[in-house]
Each structure stands twice: as structure tokens, then as C-alpha cells.
């Protein structure tokens, strides 16, 4: 299947360099699943990547969640992810001013050297995107920023009137922006976000699970196929996969659902 065909207008219109790479990987592997690998040991992560690698398009990490982290071990884990043809996505949710965000791309974790995509809140203003891109530039690499335009957790303040619109206006023309995080747990909210964003940026959505409803500590879940039909380009799934008895089978099930929904949306 040609990527241009399944992704429609977004294939030509999206302007961040990392987007086509994601779209290609998703087509090659027939999956729109981004694994939220929220495990706390390096060994657990390595085993999980090997069991789900063929069924996911991107690996989302929280590098500061890992108890036994070492730079060397992390380098090996990233190589393992790359051998599975995965986009590496550090969900750091940066939020500071531009120059500090640039510095935070370095530091102990040196995120700029291994992540292809990172998340950021735009609460401090639009220059955070330039700060993060300068971080990649410092090591001669390219990347993309996902701005949080909505969140899946109940009571989050991004739902206050005007926030989502302001976030989209601030990020839509910046080529450093890979896309926006939308709320996968509410398809109607997501459809509104897609209407604001148009075809210039991707939308990735957490808060999706085959079991819909309220999750732990304020997390909320919606249906993965509904999210894609409402305009999501990637479903972020964590516990739905890694807590399952067979993470490989669960990842494959989410992959099949996501791919089928994309084909339905594109009318291919
Ligand atoms: O609004 C959000 C944004 C993000 S990036 N809600 C979220 O849950 N996330 C992330 O998605 C969160 O940090 C976690 O890694 C993942 C959801 O995991 P799950 O186990 O609930 O599927």
C-alpha cells in the first residue's frame, strides 16, 4: 500500500521532517500503534520491545521512570528499537523557556542524541519549540515536537476555554512541530481538534484502550478505532499492551484495529 494513498492530504501537507518517516514506518508495518513503554527496569523494557516490536510504529519512553538506567544500557535499548524500525519518542513534556529547554535536551539523559520526537507543553510560549529544535541542531540531528493541545486525564486545565485553540495557533506554522497530542478518550473533542489543525500536522492520542471508561488515578480511555476515525494519526497505548498476559498478541490486536480504521478513514 502506498503511503501517499493511505495518508491522503497529510502526506503532502505535513511539513516536519520526521512525519514522512513515521508515515512510511506505519505503512510498512501496518500499524499506528505507539507503545507507551512505562516500565521501570531496563530488562523489562528490552523484553517488551522484542515481543511487540513488529507490531508498533513508535516507542514512547519516560526515560526518568527507569530505576536502573545507565547511559550505555539506554544506547543499546535505542539500537534495539531502531532494529525494529521504530521512531523513538521521549514523552518528556518539556515546559520551560526556550534556552532552558534547549539545555534540557542535553544533560544526563542527552535526549537530543536519541529521541526523534519529544512532547512539550506550550504554557511558556511558542519559543519552546525553537529551543528544542536548537537542542537537536546542537548535535546535528533533526526532530519533531508534539505540543499538548488536549490531555486524556480528567480535570486537566488544557480543557479551559481557549487553550486548545491558542496552542494550535501557536504551533501550526512552525516546521519544528511534528503534531499535537489530542485526547483519545473523547472522540468528539478529538474531531474538534482535527478541524482546528487541518492536514498540516499529525495528531497522536493517548487515553485509548479496548476497555473504555475510567482508568487508574484520573486516566480516561476511549476506543482506538473511534479515535482514528475522529482524526488521530497514532494511538498511544501503554497498559493495554504491557499489562496484558501476552503483550505481543495485544500489540498485534491494536495494530490491526488501527490499520483497519486508517484504511476506512482514507477510503482506500
Ligand atoms: O494526556 C495525556 C498525554 C500523554 S503523553 N495522557 C497520557 O496518558 N499520556 C501518556 O500516555 C502517559 O504519560 C502514559 O505514558 C501514556 C498512557 O498510558 P496508558 O497506560 O494509560 O495507556
Amino acid at each position: 500500500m502506498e503511503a501517499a494513498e493511505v495518508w491522503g492530504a497529510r502526506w503532502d501537507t505535513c511539513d516536519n521532517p520526521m512525519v514522512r518517516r513515521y508515515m512510511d514506518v506505519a505503512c510498512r508495518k501496518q500499524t499506528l500503534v505507539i507503545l507507551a513503554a512505562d516500565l521501570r527496569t531496563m530488562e523489562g523494557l528490552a523484553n517488551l520491545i522484542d515481543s511487540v516490536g513488529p507490531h508498533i510504529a513508535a516507542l514512547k519512553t519516560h526515560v526518568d521512570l527507569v530505576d536502573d538506567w545507565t547511559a550505555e544500557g539506554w544506547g543499546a535499548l535505542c539500537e534495539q528499537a531502531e532494529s525494529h524500525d521504530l521512531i523513538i519518542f521521549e514523552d518528556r513534556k518539556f515546559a520551560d523557556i526556550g534556552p532552558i529547554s534547549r539545555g534540557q535536551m542535553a544533560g544526563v539523559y542527552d535526549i537530543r542524541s536519541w529521541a526523534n520526537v519529544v512532547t512539550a507543553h506550550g504554557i511558556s510560549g511558542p519559543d519552546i519549540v525553537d529551543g528544542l529544535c536548537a537542542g537537536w541542531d546542537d548535535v546535528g540531528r533533526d526532530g519533531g515536537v508534539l505540543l499538548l493541545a488536549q490531555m486524556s486525564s480528567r480535570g486537566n486545565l488544557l480543557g479551559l476555554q481557549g487553550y486548545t485553540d491558542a496552542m494550535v495557533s501557536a504551533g501550526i506554522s512552525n516546521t519544528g512541530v511534528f503534531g499535537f497530542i489530542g485526547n483519545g478518550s473523547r472522540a468528539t473533542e478529538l474531531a474538534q481538534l482535527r478541524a482546528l489543525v487541518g492536514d498540516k500536522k499529525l495528531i497522536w492520542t493517548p487515553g485509548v484502550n479496548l476497555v473504555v471508561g475510567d482508568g487508574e488515578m484520573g486516566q480516561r480511555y476511549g476506543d482506538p478505532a473511534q479515535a482514528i476515525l475522529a482524526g488521530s494519526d497514532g494511538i498511544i497505548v501503554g497498559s493495554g499492551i504491557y499489562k496484558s498476559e501476552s503483550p505481543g498478541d495485544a500489540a498485534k490486536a491494536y495494530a490491526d484495529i488501527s490499520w483497519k480504521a486508517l484504511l476506512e478513514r482514507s477510503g482506500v
Side-chain angles (χ1 to χ4, degrees):
M1 192 85 52
E2 287 294 317
E5 224 182 324
V6 278
W7 289 105
R10 252 159 260 171
W11 173 260
D12 287 319
T13 322
C14 282
D15 56 3
N16 175 265
M18 210 47 72
V19 169
R20 280 202 177 182
R21 190 170 150 201
Y22 166 71
M23 287 178 163
D24 264 334
V25 172
C27 281
R28 249 194 321 275
K29 300 173 83 174
Q30 305 206 335
T31 174
L32 273 64
V33 176
I34 293 118
L35 171 73
D38 296 334
L39 299 185
R40 297 185 52 178
T41 66
M42 301 287 287
E43 192 189 353
L45 284 168
N47 292 339
L48 181 63
I49 293 169
D50 270 342
S51 52
V52 306
H55 310 301
I56 62 174
L59 171 72
K60 184 176 91 64
T61 56
H62 282 299
V63 66
D64 52 356
L65 202 71
V66 181
D67 291 329
D68 56 352
W69 188 90
T70 60
E72 207 187 2
W74 196 257
L77 208 75
C78 289
E79 273 177 30
Q80 191 189 340
E82 273 153 18
S83 75
H84 283 288
D85 205 5
L86 300 175
I87 305 274
I88 305 180
F89 165 22
E90 167 57 24
D91 185 11
R92 170 64 177 71
K93 298 187 179 72
F94 292 95
D96 215 313
I97 60 169
I100 296 301
S101 300
R102 177 185 195 167
Q104 288 171 321
M105 284 286 272
V108 173
Y109 294 123
D110 203 27
I111 293 169
R112 61 190 181 170
S113 296
W114 49 267
N116 306 119
V117 181
V118 299
T119 39
H121 280 292
I123 193 78
S124 56
D127 294 282
I128 189 166
V129 175
D130 298 337
L132 294 170
C133 289
W136 274 304
D137 202 40
D138 289 338
V139 288
R141 283 164 52 93
D142 263 339
V145 178
L146 275 156
L147 288 170
L148 284 111
Q150 294 175 334
M151 289 194 77
S152 62
S153 44
R154 80 173 169 215
N156 74 77
L157 304 184
L158 280 62
L160 292 180
Q161 202 183 0
Y163 189 97
T164 300
D165 297 45
M167 197 67 273
V168 172
S169 308
I172 197 78
S173 302
N174 191 329
T175 55
V177 174
F178 175 92
F180 296 94
I181 293 289
N183 175 12
S185 76
R186 296 290 183 272
T188 44
E189 280 178 31
L190 199 53
Q192 286 161 7
L193 177 62
R194 175 51 75 192
L196 281 175
V197 170
D199 284 318
K200 216 169 164 193
K201 303 289 179 190
L202 296 189
I203 298 176
W204 280 4
T205 51
V208 290
N209 198 296
L210 288 171
V211 182
V212 302
D214 291 340
E216 246 181 301
M217 290 188 196
Q219 176 67 304
R220 302 174 296 181
Y221 292 111
D223 177 73
Q226 288 303 319
I228 289 164
L229 293 173
S232 165
D233 302 305
I235 50 169
I236 298 174
V237 187
S239 43
I241 292 175
Y242 67 75
K243 280 195 182 162
S244 135
E245 268 181 24
S246 168
D249 292 338
K252 168 98 173 68
Y254 281 97
D256 290 348
I257 288 167
S258 67
W259 184 246
K260 194 166 157 262
L262 180 66
L263 295 186
E264 184 181 336
R265 184 176 88 191
S266 61
V268 176

